[in-house]
Amino acid sequence: MPASYAYLGPEGTFTEVALRTLPEAATRELTPYVSVQSALDAVRAGEAEAAFVPIENSVEGGITATLDGLVAGEPLTIYREVLLSITFALLVRPGTQLADIKTVSAHPAAQPQVRNWLKANLPDAVWESAASNADAARLVQEGRYDAAFAGEFAAARYGLAALETGIHDAENAQTRFVLVGRPARPAARTGADKTSVVLWQRADHPGGLRDLLGEFASRGINLMLLQSRPTGAGIGNYCFCVDAEGHISDRRMAEALTGLKRICRDVRFLGSYPRADIEPGEAGPAQTGTSDEEFMRAADWVARCQDGRF
């Protein structure tokens, strides 16, 4: 396997900035790809060791291109996550003034994060989507568009000027990125972990989603993301992407996944990995009755009952 990481490019994306915060990135060749799907496919094809892609932002939720790329195709596993605070700059060719801007471009996920600023400052500008924010900057450099919303750090890379900086509609906006590789044993439990799965119901019926969520709720497992995605099998056919607190080696998580595998048409395990928002020592105690020790005591009690030793 090549010692390289694929990432959503071109150079100068927020994805590249987040990737370079990983210590192991310094020992890998970092290769930009034109889309999330192409980065994931590079891993599937053996062209890259792992792919680093955005998966969620705090304004719009899950990044559909990434979720869909993980739902379909050969299975992949999430090994790490990174959180990056996001603010945008309005990048233009040198000499461009605000009054000159008729077209603006960025990745579609950026639009909800700058919508109010755009309405207040460039109400007549036409929005054009790009494959990434850095690609929008490249298109401005080429003269395709007048301005791009991207990281201020991308200005020098594309010979542009930052006409405005610190642009964001929501305070403390963040994007979550994940490092994705081919399936392998999950990283060791840290005590502050997250498990990601995709769930397909056997059939659509009243209370179906409640049944799925009940496998987590009855074991005191908190959900951090729940997003439905169409399966492509027709209107009303959806699968569910779930992030849950805990590690597959936790007894409560293992039992929840066992229950889901029993009642679902299919379950795709996307990995158990350390959370980026807290340190292991900061994780709160498990809900009463859901610790590994309590699961073990309950299982021991059942075994003693079966042996007539109650």
mmCIF file with all atom_site columns, all heavy atoms in Angstrom, residues 38-55:
data_model
loop_
_atom_site.group_PDB
_atom_site.id
_atom_site.type_symbol
_atom_site.label_atom_id
_atom_site.label_alt_id
_atom_site.label_comp_id
_atom_site.label_asym_id
_atom_site.label_entity_id
_atom_site.label_seq_id
_atom_site.pdbx_PDB_ins_code
_atom_site.Cartn_x
_atom_site.Cartn_y
_atom_site.Cartn_z
_atom_site.occupancy
_atom_site.B_iso_or_equiv
_atom_site.pdbx_formal_charge
_atom_site.auth_seq_id
_atom_site.auth_comp_id
_atom_site.auth_asym_id
_atom_site.auth_atom_id
_atom_site.pdbx_PDB_model_num
ATOM 1   N N   . SER A 1 38 ? -13.647 10.602 -5.298 1.00 0.00 ? 38 SER A N   1
ATOM 2   C CA  . SER A 1 38 ? -12.400 10.149 -5.914 1.00 0.00 ? 38 SER A CA  1
ATOM 3   C C   . SER A 1 38 ? -11.332 9.864  -4.871 1.00 0.00 ? 38 SER A C   1
ATOM 4   O O   . SER A 1 38 ? -10.518 8.946  -5.040 1.00 0.00 ? 38 SER A O   1
ATOM 5   C CB  . SER A 1 38 ? -11.899 11.169 -6.934 1.00 0.00 ? 38 SER A CB  1
ATOM 6   O OG  . SER A 1 38 ? -11.627 12.416 -6.322 1.00 0.00 ? 38 SER A OG  1
ATOM 7   N N   . ALA A 1 39 ? -11.339 10.613 -3.758 1.00 0.00 ? 39 ALA A N   1
ATOM 8   C CA  . ALA A 1 39 ? -10.390 10.342 -2.674 1.00 0.00 ? 39 ALA A CA  1
ATOM 9   C C   . ALA A 1 39 ? -10.696 8.996  -2.021 1.00 0.00 ? 39 ALA A C   1
ATOM 10  O O   . ALA A 1 39 ? -9.788  8.202  -1.739 1.00 0.00 ? 39 ALA A O   1
ATOM 11  C CB  . ALA A 1 39 ? -10.428 11.463 -1.647 1.00 0.00 ? 39 ALA A CB  1
ATOM 12  N N   . LEU A 1 40 ? -11.983 8.715  -1.768 1.00 0.00 ? 40 LEU A N   1
ATOM 13  C CA  . LEU A 1 40 ? -12.362 7.432  -1.178 1.00 0.00 ? 40 LEU A CA  1
ATOM 14  C C   . LEU A 1 40 ? -12.062 6.279  -2.139 1.00 0.00 ? 40 LEU A C   1
ATOM 15  O O   . LEU A 1 40 ? -11.581 5.219  -1.723 1.00 0.00 ? 40 LEU A O   1
ATOM 16  C CB  . LEU A 1 40 ? -13.851 7.438  -0.820 1.00 0.00 ? 40 LEU A CB  1
ATOM 17  C CG  . LEU A 1 40 ? -14.296 8.444  0.243  1.00 0.00 ? 40 LEU A CG  1
ATOM 18  C CD1 . LEU A 1 40 ? -15.806 8.379  0.440  1.00 0.00 ? 40 LEU A CD1 1
ATOM 19  C CD2 . LEU A 1 40 ? -13.583 8.212  1.567  1.00 0.00 ? 40 LEU A CD2 1
ATOM 20  N N   . ASP A 1 41 ? -12.323 6.500  -3.429 1.00 0.00 ? 41 ASP A N   1
ATOM 21  C CA  . ASP A 1 41 ? -12.069 5.447  -4.412 1.00 0.00 ? 41 ASP A CA  1
ATOM 22  C C   . ASP A 1 41 ? -10.574 5.159  -4.551 1.00 0.00 ? 41 ASP A C   1
ATOM 23  O O   . ASP A 1 41 ? -10.191 4.029  -4.896 1.00 0.00 ? 41 ASP A O   1
ATOM 24  C CB  . ASP A 1 41 ? -12.648 5.845  -5.765 1.00 0.00 ? 41 ASP A CB  1
ATOM 25  C CG  . ASP A 1 41 ? -14.171 5.749  -5.801 1.00 0.00 ? 41 ASP A CG  1
ATOM 26  O OD1 . ASP A 1 41 ? -14.727 5.099  -4.894 1.00 0.00 ? 41 ASP A OD1 1
ATOM 27  O OD2 . ASP A 1 41 ? -14.773 6.314  -6.720 1.00 0.00 ? 41 ASP A OD2 1
ATOM 28  N N   . ALA A 1 42 ? -9.732  6.162  -4.287 1.00 0.00 ? 42 ALA A N   1
ATOM 29  C CA  . ALA A 1 42 ? -8.286  5.931  -4.340 1.00 0.00 ? 42 ALA A CA  1
ATOM 30  C C   . ALA A 1 42 ? -7.866  4.921  -3.288 1.00 0.00 ? 42 ALA A C   1
ATOM 31  O O   . ALA A 1 42 ? -6.970  4.096  -3.514 1.00 0.00 ? 42 ALA A O   1
ATOM 32  C CB  . ALA A 1 42 ? -7.534  7.244  -4.144 1.00 0.00 ? 42 ALA A CB  1
ATOM 33  N N   . VAL A 1 43 ? -8.509  4.943  -2.132 1.00 0.00 ? 43 VAL A N   1
ATOM 34  C CA  . VAL A 1 43 ? -8.226  3.961  -1.079 1.00 0.00 ? 43 VAL A CA  1
ATOM 35  C C   . VAL A 1 43 ? -8.734  2.590  -1.509 1.00 0.00 ? 43 VAL A C   1
ATOM 36  O O   . VAL A 1 43 ? -8.039  1.578  -1.381 1.00 0.00 ? 43 VAL A O   1
ATOM 37  C CB  . VAL A 1 43 ? -8.872  4.388  0.255  1.00 0.00 ? 43 VAL A CB  1
ATOM 38  C CG1 . VAL A 1 43 ? -8.605  3.341  1.338  1.00 0.00 ? 43 VAL A CG1 1
ATOM 39  C CG2 . VAL A 1 43 ? -8.344  5.748  0.694  1.00 0.00 ? 43 VAL A CG2 1
ATOM 40  N N   . ARG A 1 44 ? -9.933  2.551  -2.045 1.00 0.00 ? 44 ARG A N   1
ATOM 41  C CA  . ARG A 1 44 ? -10.507 1.279  -2.477 1.00 0.00 ? 44 ARG A CA  1
ATOM 42  C C   . ARG A 1 44 ? -9.670  0.628  -3.582 1.00 0.00 ? 44 ARG A C   1
ATOM 43  O O   . ARG A 1 44 ? -9.566  -0.594 -3.667 1.00 0.00 ? 44 ARG A O   1
ATOM 44  C CB  . ARG A 1 44 ? -11.943 1.495  -2.950 1.00 0.00 ? 44 ARG A CB  1
ATOM 45  C CG  . ARG A 1 44 ? -12.917 1.870  -1.832 1.00 0.00 ? 44 ARG A CG  1
ATOM 46  C CD  . ARG A 1 44 ? -14.336 1.981  -2.348 1.00 0.00 ? 44 ARG A CD  1
ATOM 47  N NE  . ARG A 1 44 ? -15.296 2.096  -1.254 1.00 0.00 ? 44 ARG A NE  1
ATOM 48  C CZ  . ARG A 1 44 ? -16.055 3.164  -1.021 1.00 0.00 ? 44 ARG A CZ  1
ATOM 49  N NH1 . ARG A 1 44 ? -15.962 4.234  -1.811 1.00 0.00 ? 44 ARG A NH1 1
ATOM 50  N NH2 . ARG A 1 44 ? -16.899 3.188  -0.001 1.00 0.00 ? 44 ARG A NH2 1
ATOM 51  N N   . ALA A 1 45 ? -9.080  1.466  -4.424 1.00 0.00 ? 45 ALA A N   1
ATOM 52  C CA  . ALA A 1 45 ? -8.290  0.952  -5.543 1.00 0.00 ? 45 ALA A CA  1
ATOM 53  C C   . ALA A 1 45 ? -6.843  0.646  -5.166 1.00 0.00 ? 45 ALA A C   1
ATOM 54  O O   . ALA A 1 45 ? -6.075  0.150  -5.989 1.00 0.00 ? 45 ALA A O   1
ATOM 55  C CB  . ALA A 1 45 ? -8.311  1.957  -6.696 1.00 0.00 ? 45 ALA A CB  1
ATOM 56  N N   . GLY A 1 46 ? -6.461  0.936  -3.906 1.00 0.00 ? 46 GLY A N   1
ATOM 57  C CA  . GLY A 1 46 ? -5.094  0.695  -3.487 1.00 0.00 ? 46 GLY A CA  1
ATOM 58  C C   . GLY A 1 46 ? -4.116  1.767  -3.903 1.00 0.00 ? 46 GLY A C   1
ATOM 59  O O   . GLY A 1 46 ? -2.906  1.581  -3.796 1.00 0.00 ? 46 GLY A O   1
ATOM 60  N N   . GLU A 1 47 ? -4.616  2.922  -4.370 1.00 0.00 ? 47 GLU A N   1
ATOM 61  C CA  . GLU A 1 47 ? -3.743  4.016  -4.783 1.00 0.00 ? 47 GLU A CA  1
ATOM 62  C C   . GLU A 1 47 ? -3.274  4.851  -3.594 1.00 0.00 ? 47 GLU A C   1
ATOM 63  O O   . GLU A 1 47 ? -2.306  5.602  -3.705 1.00 0.00 ? 47 GLU A O   1
ATOM 64  C CB  . GLU A 1 47 ? -4.469  4.923  -5.777 1.00 0.00 ? 47 GLU A CB  1
ATOM 65  C CG  . GLU A 1 47 ? -4.875  4.233  -7.062 1.00 0.00 ? 47 GLU A CG  1
ATOM 66  C CD  . GLU A 1 47 ? -5.792  5.089  -7.910 1.00 0.00 ? 47 GLU A CD  1
ATOM 67  O OE1 . GLU A 1 47 ? -6.053  6.248  -7.512 1.00 0.00 ? 47 GLU A OE1 1
ATOM 68  O OE2 . GLU A 1 47 ? -6.255  4.607  -8.957 1.00 0.00 ? 47 GLU A OE2 1
ATOM 69  N N   . ALA A 1 48 ? -3.983  4.761  -2.469 1.00 0.00 ? 48 ALA A N   1
ATOM 70  C CA  . ALA A 1 48 ? -3.644  5.537  -1.280 1.00 0.00 ? 48 ALA A CA  1
ATOM 71  C C   . ALA A 1 48 ? -3.879  4.687  -0.045 1.00 0.00 ? 48 ALA A C   1
ATOM 72  O O   . ALA A 1 48 ? -4.748  3.797  -0.029 1.00 0.00 ? 48 ALA A O   1
ATOM 73  C CB  . ALA A 1 48 ? -4.479  6.817  -1.210 1.00 0.00 ? 48 ALA A CB  1
ATOM 74  N N   . GLU A 1 49 ? -3.120  4.973  0.980  1.00 0.00 ? 49 GLU A N   1
ATOM 75  C CA  . GLU A 1 49 ? -3.253  4.264  2.257  1.00 0.00 ? 49 GLU A CA  1
ATOM 76  C C   . GLU A 1 49 ? -4.530  4.658  2.965  1.00 0.00 ? 49 GLU A C   1
ATOM 77  O O   . GLU A 1 49 ? -5.196  3.842  3.605  1.00 0.00 ? 49 GLU A O   1
ATOM 78  C CB  . GLU A 1 49 ? -2.032  4.590  3.117  1.00 0.00 ? 49 GLU A CB  1
ATOM 79  C CG  . GLU A 1 49 ? -2.050  4.001  4.513  1.00 0.00 ? 49 GLU A CG  1
ATOM 80  C CD  . GLU A 1 49 ? -0.873  4.485  5.334  1.00 0.00 ? 49 GLU A CD  1
ATOM 81  O OE1 . GLU A 1 49 ? -0.005  5.217  4.787  1.00 0.00 ? 49 GLU A OE1 1
ATOM 82  O OE2 . GLU A 1 49 ? -0.821  4.147  6.530  1.00 0.00 ? 49 GLU A OE2 1
ATOM 83  N N   . ALA A 1 50 ? -4.892  5.947  2.888  1.00 0.00 ? 50 ALA A N   1
ATOM 84  C CA  . ALA A 1 50 ? -6.078  6.463  3.568  1.00 0.00 ? 50 ALA A CA  1
ATOM 85  C C   . ALA A 1 50 ? -6.545  7.713  2.846  1.00 0.00 ? 50 ALA A C   1
ATOM 86  O O   . ALA A 1 50 ? -5.807  8.316  2.049  1.00 0.00 ? 50 ALA A O   1
ATOM 87  C CB  . ALA A 1 50 ? -5.775  6.769  5.035  1.00 0.00 ? 50 ALA A CB  1
ATOM 88  N N   . ALA A 1 51 ? -7.780  8.105  3.112  1.00 0.00 ? 51 ALA A N   1
ATOM 89  C CA  . ALA A 1 51 ? -8.339  9.345  2.572  1.00 0.00 ? 51 ALA A CA  1
ATOM 90  C C   . ALA A 1 51 ? -8.785  10.214 3.735  1.00 0.00 ? 51 ALA A C   1
ATOM 91  O O   . ALA A 1 51 ? -9.283  9.709  4.753  1.00 0.00 ? 51 ALA A O   1
ATOM 92  C CB  . ALA A 1 51 ? -9.519  9.051  1.647  1.00 0.00 ? 51 ALA A CB  1
ATOM 93  N N   . PHE A 1 52 ? -8.605  11.514 3.576  1.00 0.00 ? 52 PHE A N   1
ATOM 94  C CA  . PHE A 1 52 ? -8.994  12.472 4.610  1.00 0.00 ? 52 PHE A CA  1
ATOM 95  C C   . PHE A 1 52 ? -10.029 13.397 3.995  1.00 0.00 ? 52 PHE A C   1
ATOM 96  O O   . PHE A 1 52 ? -9.743  14.109 3.019  1.00 0.00 ? 52 PHE A O   1
ATOM 97  C CB  . PHE A 1 52 ? -7.771  13.260 5.084  1.00 0.00 ? 52 PHE A CB  1
ATOM 98  C CG  . PHE A 1 52 ? -7.998  14.056 6.333  1.00 0.00 ? 52 PHE A CG  1
ATOM 99  C CD1 . PHE A 1 52 ? -8.010  13.439 7.576  1.00 0.00 ? 52 PHE A CD1 1
ATOM 100 C CD2 . PHE A 1 52 ? -8.218  15.431 6.277  1.00 0.00 ? 52 PHE A CD2 1
ATOM 101 C CE1 . PHE A 1 52 ? -8.217  14.170 8.733  1.00 0.00 ? 52 PHE A CE1 1
ATOM 102 C CE2 . PHE A 1 52 ? -8.414  16.176 7.422  1.00 0.00 ? 52 PHE A CE2 1
ATOM 103 C CZ  . PHE A 1 52 ? -8.418  15.544 8.660  1.00 0.00 ? 52 PHE A CZ  1
ATOM 104 N N   . VAL A 1 53 ? -11.254 13.373 4.564  1.00 0.00 ? 53 VAL A N   1
ATOM 105 C CA  . VAL A 1 53 ? -12.374 14.078 3.935  1.00 0.00 ? 53 VAL A CA  1
ATOM 106 C C   . VAL A 1 53 ? -13.265 14.706 5.005  1.00 0.00 ? 53 VAL A C   1
ATOM 107 O O   . VAL A 1 53 ? -13.326 14.243 6.143  1.00 0.00 ? 53 VAL A O   1
ATOM 108 C CB  . VAL A 1 53 ? -13.211 13.098 3.075  1.00 0.00 ? 53 VAL A CB  1
ATOM 109 C CG1 . VAL A 1 53 ? -12.426 12.635 1.859  1.00 0.00 ? 53 VAL A CG1 1
ATOM 110 C CG2 . VAL A 1 53 ? -13.675 11.892 3.900  1.00 0.00 ? 53 VAL A CG2 1
ATOM 111 N N   . PRO A 1 54 ? -14.003 15.776 4.641  1.00 0.00 ? 54 PRO A N   1
ATOM 112 C CA  . PRO A 1 54 ? -14.965 16.359 5.584  1.00 0.00 ? 54 PRO A CA  1
ATOM 113 C C   . PRO A 1 54 ? -16.197 15.483 5.679  1.00 0.00 ? 54 PRO A C   1
ATOM 114 O O   . PRO A 1 54 ? -16.652 14.919 4.679  1.00 0.00 ? 54 PRO A O   1
ATOM 115 C CB  . PRO A 1 54 ? -15.294 17.718 4.944  1.00 0.00 ? 54 PRO A CB  1
ATOM 116 C CG  . PRO A 1 54 ? -15.105 17.488 3.476  1.00 0.00 ? 54 PRO A CG  1
ATOM 117 C CD  . PRO A 1 54 ? -13.964 16.502 3.354  1.00 0.00 ? 54 PRO A CD  1
ATOM 118 N N   . ILE A 1 55 ? -16.767 15.385 6.888  1.00 0.00 ? 55 ILE A N   1
ATOM 119 C CA  . ILE A 1 55 ? -17.945 14.534 7.056  1.00 0.00 ? 55 ILE A CA  1
ATOM 120 C C   . ILE A 1 55 ? -19.114 15.246 7.736  1.00 0.00 ? 55 ILE A C   1
ATOM 121 O O   . ILE A 1 55 ? -20.266 14.816 7.614  1.00 0.00 ? 55 ILE A O   1
ATOM 122 C CB  . ILE A 1 55 ? -17.579 13.256 7.844  1.00 0.00 ? 55 ILE A CB  1
ATOM 123 C CG1 . ILE A 1 55 ? -18.678 12.200 7.714  1.00 0.00 ? 55 ILE A CG1 1
ATOM 124 C CG2 . ILE A 1 55 ? -17.281 13.575 9.316  1.00 0.00 ? 55 ILE A CG2 1
ATOM 125 C CD1 . ILE A 1 55 ? -18.295 10.834 8.237  1.00 0.00 ? 55 ILE A CD1 1
#
